[in-house]
Amino acid sequence: MSLPRTTVSPRRALLVASLKMFYRNKHSIFWTLLLPVVILGVFALLNLGGGVSAQLAVVDDAHTATSQRIVSALQASSLVSVHQGALQDERAAFDSGDRDALLHIDRAEHLSLLLSGAHSHQVEAARVVVDEATRGASPDVAVSTVNNGRNQGYTDFLIPGIIALSVMQTGLFTVLYTFVHLRQRGILRRLKATPLRAGDFLAAQVGTRLILAAAQTLILVLIALLVFRVQIYGNVGWLLLVAVLGAAVFLALGFAISGSTGSVESAAPIANLVGLPMIVLSGVFFSRGGMPGWLHSLTGLLPLTYLVDGLRHISYDGWGLLDIRTDLLGMAVWLLISGALAVKLFRWELD
Amino acid sequence: MSVAGRPLDAAAAPVIRVEGLRKHYGDRVAVDGVSFSVREGEVLGILGPNGAGKTTTVEILEGLRTADGGSAEVAGVDVVRDPDAVKGRIGVQLQASSFFDQLSLAELLDLFAAIFGTTVEARALLRRVDLEDRAQSQVKQLSGGQQQRFAVAAALVNNPRILFLDEPTTGLDPQARRHMWELVRSFRDDGTTIVLTTHSMEEAELLCDRVAIMDAGRMVALDTPGALVEALLAKGFRRPQREREATLEDVFLDLCGHGLRDGDAPP
């Protein structure tokens, strides 16, 4: 009663086998799928973006003693940083999401406050500070709320960073660990004694992990949308595509490094040496905007920076693929270099 | 007539032919001009102290290492020129190797079959090595003897006519060792050509039609076990003391029985 059997290509058999192995390994499921969610949860709860002061636009067209008193009261507050300018410019800044609120004092001393629709500390702070500074003004401040690009909190900013981090984890860390483990145990040595070609083996490994990276991204996007109510402005399909491209970059990098790494014990420090600086320097958790110019340019060349920026431009800024061509190009260059190194350095066993 | 007590077809064509094989690692010469041939259906044992070049020689024949000189043909493939081409035609059981975790024995055999571009009746193959009841187990759950038998099963997925076994009984308890010997005998009876490396003289005497002894990269003797012993006696060699009729291993087996102890295996 055995089923009729047909031969399966080595590549496909290995791909199915490694997906099975992944599914049966509780550790790998934790590290690739659950840990990113936990990190996301922790950072979202801490809301580390909350310490940033509110960006308040103030347009004083009245130029009276009253209006100047209001402006200096606002400037004295530590909760907001005040931007003064022409109405046209400041409204444009508000609309593009660079301001949390805009207070306009017209020639007749009528006050109108425009608030971003974001449920952030900053918008709340701007409203309280303006309330305080305009107390007793007549007539009352006309308050309106408009959804601008500022309709985003720290979690919206964080999500693409976490996706990039998980993709790097899957590519660099788990590949390095798995591959070195397989070689140390002599599992690769056994495969070397079969007609299996190194290219087929690598293709199956890469295929498995690209599938995992896509699944990982999809899960994070779903949790972001359903649990954290995050707004994703760009196309989720492009987001997945960029994540998978990023995964390919880190896979190649992982294989290139593992080519000459003998033991699991030496793989961990190497992975950390490569990975940790990028986690800190590539703007995963915080914007790289505060870096000195030279450091900003230098860290802009890191593969994780290209991935974080690409994902963030799609998710946070709503950009299309053409808009992030610099990041795509950066990733492509890294992929070519590390891919070539991976193939060149591949070893079934170390002599 | 071999010591193992079966007639060998002296006219059978050699399926392995090695001529002046050389391999060095840096300054160290591992294999220093080794020549021999193995006839179809023959069991050849390669003996020698550690570092004698046994494993290197065998690994060249298996396509795992490249040779520096000489010629070697296995199953019609020139392994010096094209080491990869031989891998699909032979079966190998390796030292210091293992199999994927998280896959069952049956899944591993299916995977290996796919790698060899063929299909396999995993259960039938496992029955062949007495592991049918462990088809759903993982390799790490097996005892040492079971792991070695599984390694042999994996070497059989492509139904090879030539089998390389590298120290198949090293580290096994006496019962498991005898079980492996039975297995090797059954392959021999099916007409499979076997190249076996071992440190056990008893194993070589019991299983091998001919024995090659290597030392320091050279082959110092190659003949049937009986002829090698005769040659030594002819030189005037006598054992200083007559051996007792039984050994400590006989005592062990008398006390513990011949039955296999596979630890967690069901009785």
Side-chain angles (χ1 to χ4, degrees):
Chain A
M1 53 172 260
S2 66
L3 296 165
R5 284 160 179 275
T6 49
T7 47
V8 182
S9 82
R11 212 184 289 193
R12 202 172 131 198
L14 268 174
L15 182 81
V16 172
S18 37
L19 283 173
K20 259 187 207 163
M21 286 186 266
F22 171 82
Y23 175 73
R24 290 174 189 172
N25 187 341
K26 305 288 171 293
H27 295 289
S28 59
I29 290 185
F30 175 79
W31 287 104
T32 42
L33 297 183
L34 290 182
L35 187 68
V37 176
V38 173
I39 295 177
L40 174 63
V42 168
F43 274 86
L45 280 176
L46 291 174
N47 199 0
L48 292 175
V52 180
S53 60
Q55 306 300 308
L56 174 66
V58 177
V59 179
D60 179 11
D61 287 334
H63 299 292
T64 59
T66 317
S67 73
Q68 266 153 25
R69 187 178 49 76
I70 292 171
V71 171
S72 35
L74 290 171
Q75 280 170 332
S77 167
S78 62
L79 292 176
V80 296
S81 68
V82 170
H83 303 266
Q84 279 187 280
L87 180 61
Q88 199 183 341
D89 301 339
E90 286 306 314
R91 176 67 205 228
F94 176 88
D95 285 338
S96 66
D98 291 340
R99 305 284 183 265
D100 295 294
L102 188 159
L103 178 69
H104 181 219
I105 311 171
D106 71 8
R107 286 169 211 278
E109 280 189 15
H110 286 134
L111 295 160
S112 56
L113 178 65
L114 201 57
L115 290 174
S116 157
H119 303 285
S120 68
H121 294 308
Q122 286 84 350
V123 175
E124 207 47 49
R127 176 202 274 271
V128 171
V129 169
V130 169
D131 248 15
E132 200 71 30
T134 59
R135 186 154 298 163
S138 57
D140 286 344
V141 183
V143 179
S144 54
T145 298
V146 169
N147 281 336
N148 64 351
R150 204 72 181 174
N151 194 7
Q152 288 158 296
Y154 178 59
T155 316
D156 303 73
F157 175 86
L158 185 62
I159 280 288
I162 296 288
I163 292 175
L165 186 65
S166 330
V167 161
M168 179 171 86
Q169 172 88 17
T170 303
L172 195 58
F173 292 72
T174 64
V175 154
L176 194 54
Y177 179 81
T178 310
F179 187 79
V180 172
H181 171 79
L182 290 179
R183 190 166 50 204
Q184 204 177 6
R185 292 263 320 276
I187 294 168
L188 294 187
R189 186 175 136 79
R190 185 61 190 85
L191 289 176
K192 188 190 175 188
T194 70
L196 181 65
R197 283 178 309 204
D200 282 340
F201 174 78
L202 285 176
Q205 287 286 319
V206 168
T208 308
R209 277 154 219 287
L210 291 185
I211 291 171
L212 288 178
Q216 206 175 22
T217 306
L218 207 58
I219 288 174
L220 279 171
V221 164
L222 284 177
I223 288 177
L225 290 174
L226 301 175
V227 179
F228 295 100
R229 304 272 164 202
V230 156
Q231 297 257 17
I232 289 175
Y233 285 90
N235 184 317
V236 173
W238 295 149
L239 204 63
L240 276 177
L241 191 79
V242 174
V244 169
L245 175 64
V249 172
F250 287 108
L251 276 167
L253 209 56
F255 273 114
I257 296 172
S258 48
S260 49
T261 306
S263 68
V264 173
E265 290 73 22
S266 59
I270 293 173
N272 286 329
L273 196 69
V274 176
L276 283 183
M278 283 202 276
I279 294 175
V280 178
L281 295 172
S282 293
V284 169
F285 299 108
F286 308 103
S287 160
R288 291 187 307 119
M291 288 179 181
W294 63 272
L295 188 61
H296 189 272
S297 325
L298 206 65
T299 54
L301 300 173
L302 293 172
L304 187 60
T305 304
Y306 289 121
L307 180 59
V308 170
D309 287 355
L311 291 172
R312 193 164 280 152
H313 284 317
I314 292 175
S315 167
Y316 193 73
D317 301 319
W319 291 10
L321 280 188
L322 207 61
D323 305 315
I324 59 164
R325 55 186 178 274
T326 323
D327 301 308
L328 294 176
L329 188 70
M331 279 189 268
V333 170
W334 273 104
L335 180 60
L336 283 178
I337 296 171
S338 15
L341 277 175
V343 171
K344 198 171 157 53
L345 297 176
F346 180 85
R347 299 277 183 279
W348 290 110
E349 55 182 332
L350 297 179
D351 287 321
Chain B
M1 186 78 174
S2 79
V3 149
R6 66 193 186 109
L8 258 186
D9 185 0
V15 286
I16 299 174
R17 220 188 319 237
V18 180
E19 214 35 74
L21 195 66
R22 306 180 61 82
K23 173 78 182 176
H24 60 81
Y25 301 110
D27 290 341
R28 198 174 67 79
V29 178
V31 179
D32 192 5
V34 164
S35 305
F36 63 95
S37 62
V38 187
R39 287 187 297 271
E40 184 162 19
E42 188 180 15
V43 180
L44 176 77
I46 303 183
L47 307 180
N50 280 326
K54 308 185 297 286
T55 298
T56 303
T57 302
V58 169
E59 284 183 344
I60 291 170
L61 301 184
E62 292 165 344
L64 286 171
R65 279 182 203 285
T66 53
D68 296 331
S71 68
E73 195 185 289
V74 177
V77 174
D78 180 347
V79 294
V80 174
R81 280 221 191 108
D82 191 3
D84 283 330
V86 79
K87 292 174 180 174
R89 304 195 181 190
I90 57 173
V92 299
Q93 173 259 315
L94 298 172
Q95 278 186 72
S97 71
S98 190
F99 297 89
F100 289 116
D101 298 323
Q102 276 102 30
L103 290 183
S104 70
L105 302 191
E107 287 170 330
L108 280 169
L109 292 182
D110 283 335
L111 175 63
F112 268 71
I115 288 172
F116 278 91
T118 180
T119 59
V120 78
E121 278 291 342
R123 285 203 165 261
L125 195 49
L126 288 171
R127 193 181 313 132
R128 183 93 208 265
V129 298
D130 278 334
L131 285 173
E132 196 188 4
D133 52 344
R134 306 306 306 262
Q136 296 312 314
S137 303
Q138 296 179 7
V139 171
K140 63 183 172 201
Q141 296 165 330
L142 303 180
S143 69
Q146 289 175 328
Q147 290 192 7
Q148 285 291 42
R149 293 199 318 266
F150 178 72
V152 171
L156 298 175
V157 289
N158 56 331
N159 210 8
R161 300 297 302 149
I162 305 177
L163 200 53
F164 288 88
L165 304 175
D166 200 1
E167 299 189 18
T169 58
T170 297
L172 300 190
D173 66 37
Q175 288 88 352
R177 194 161 69 226
R178 281 176 161 66
H179 194 225
M180 180 62 79
W181 290 345
E182 286 310 311
L183 204 55
V184 173
R185 281 205 187 97
S186 75
F187 298 143
R188 188 183 64 180
D189 294 344
D190 291 345
T192 307
T193 308
I194 298 170
V195 175
L196 174 105
T197 65
T198 182
H199 285 298
S200 159
M201 301 304 139
E202 187 188 4
E203 183 169 306
E205 238 179 312
L206 275 169
L207 298 178
C208 300
D209 297 306
R210 283 191 306 155
V211 167
I213 299 176
M214 286 187 74
D215 192 24
R218 292 175 172 277
M219 190 156 281
V220 292
L222 173 61
D223 211 329
T224 63
L228 289 171
V229 172
E230 289 304 323
L232 179 64
L233 292 173
K235 284 201 295 187
F237 175 88
R238 292 292 176 269
R239 276 207 183 185
Q241 236 184 331
R242 191 176 166 273
E243 204 187 337
R244 278 174 295 186
E245 292 300 326
T247 64
L248 186 58
E249 177 157 322
D250 297 324
V251 175
F252 179 83
L253 289 167
D254 179 55
L255 291 171
C256 305
H258 280 76
L260 266 184
R261 309 294 172 82
D262 276 337
D264 44 357

